[in-house]
Amino acid sequence: MARWLAAELVRARPEAPGARTLTLRIPGWPGHLPGQHVDVRLTAPDGYHAERSYSLAAPAAGDLVQLTVQRVPGGEVSPYLVDTLPLGAFIEIRGPVGGWFVWEPSESPVFLVGGGAGIVPLMAMVRAHRGAGCAAPLRLIYSVREPGGRYYRDELDQPGEGRTRVDLLYTRRAPAGFPRPVGRLTAADLADHTGPPSSGVTCYVCGPTGFVEAAAELLVGAGYAPGVVRTERFGPSGG
Ligand SMILES: Cc1cc2nc3c(=O)[nH]c(=O)nc-3n(C[C@H](O)[C@H](O)[C@H](O)COP(=O)(O)OP(=O)(O)OC[C@H]3O[C@@H](n4cnc5c(N)ncnc54)[C@H](O)[C@@H]3O)c2cc1C
């Protein structure tokens, strides 16, 4: 098991209402792959520890890592990371964690389906795909409640750099004139956006547990073999 490393908050920006992107400097960081996550440990003055998992939002960049945290009301850790942790403060990080929900630049197509904060590890994959100039197509379907809740808006709005394509889906409220009716992900959304299941594509699905289960079921129903559908659930973690 990797050891705990001291991580200093060197940059922070609001990502959307209730969400903040943190850039941490971690001397000795071993590097990571898109899709992996870290354990974050906070320690109270009386020695009490709280640990939670957070996905890495960007590919490895020396000793800098990026996390995007969504505030869970009443939560022990996320409100502190979103609202309180000041620049220059230190927390502890352990990782990287995860060997299955990872993507490395390759010549095979990739299909990403994210709901809410589940966009975070998928964004690391999009950034790595763009950064490597991959020739293989990448499709992202990003399901979000309403326009103001979108993360990484500027980057994802950039028109199809390389072979990445981003399709948005709003579940509660869409911008005026948005062509798709509001509502949850359906089989029709997948049919619109993917190549045939036989095309060597790997699917990555991330978000709240209910979203992930529904999306994975739709993908398998559309003909993708369960073995090519990789999932990450953002349910409660740590203790
Ligand atoms: C592999 C992995 C990666 C993750 N990556 C991210 C990430 O990149 N960004 C991010 O914001 N979160 C991520 N999470 C979720 C994160 O680990 C915490 O669960 C979340 O921040 C809540 O922690 P908390 O201490 O604030 O709330 P807690 O004190 O743990 O919980 C407070 C209350 O909220 C409920 N609750 C806990 N977590 C959630 C949740 N995720 N959704 C809804 N209700 C919840 C609990 O059941 C409890 O009732 C990830 C989880 C996993 C397992």
Side-chain angles (χ1 to χ4, degrees):
M1 174 75 76
R3 66 195 171 91
W4 290 103
L5 296 171
E8 180 186 3
L9 182 64
V10 294
R11 236 176 3 251
R13 67 160 198 270
E15 197 58 64
R20 186 189 197 203
T21 291
L22 314 173
T23 303
L24 299 151
R25 187 184 304 286
I26 314 177
W29 181 247
H32 59 270
L33 295 172
Q36 290 188 300
H37 62 274
V38 294
D39 296 328
V40 168
R41 180 164 75 175
L42 303 181
T43 305
D46 65 0
Y48 171 76
H49 293 300
E51 287 177 32
R52 299 289 184 272
S53 303
Y54 291 99
S55 297
L56 291 148
D63 61 1
L64 296 179
V65 306
Q66 262 186 53
L67 312 178
T68 301
V69 180
Q70 179 177 48
R71 185 193 309 112
V72 172
E76 215 173 20
V77 170
S78 62
Y80 178 77
L81 296 177
V82 174
D83 302 324
T84 306
L85 184 71
L87 286 177
F90 286 82
I91 56 176
E92 288 178 291
I93 297 264
R94 186 172 62 186
V97 183
W100 171 244
F101 195 81
V102 296
W103 176 81
E104 289 187 79
S106 81
E107 294 314 309
S108 303
V110 59
F111 184 29
L112 314 177
V113 184
I119 188 67
V120 178
L122 306 184
M123 193 63 201
M125 298 178 190
V126 170
R127 288 169 164 157
H129 190 280
R130 288 177 169 177
C134 287
L138 176 150
R139 301 274 181 272
L140 166 66
I141 295 183
Y142 179 17
S143 167
V144 62
R145 285 184 184 170
E146 44 93 24
R150 289 175 56 190
Y151 295 4
Y152 318 121
R153 174 184 292 264
D154 292 349
E155 264 179 281
L156 290 178
D157 278 349
Q158 283 172 19
E161 254 185 56
R163 302 207 58 203
T164 60
R165 171 177 159 181
V166 178
D167 294 294
L168 290 160
L169 176 163
Y170 297 97
T171 59
R172 301 233 176 124
R173 188 172 61 77
F178 192 73
R180 180 190 181 278
V182 293
R184 290 184 175 181
L185 183 74
T186 66
D189 295 310
L190 303 183
D192 276 356
H193 299 308
T194 51
S198 59
S199 59
V201 64
T202 305
C203 308
Y204 294 84
V205 183
C206 186
T209 301
F211 174 87
V212 170
E213 284 170 4
E217 200 171 307
L218 287 172
L219 284 163
V220 171
Y224 294 90
V228 305
V229 180
R230 302 184 184 200
T231 58
E232 183 98 288
R233 294 165 171 75
F234 276 11
S237 66

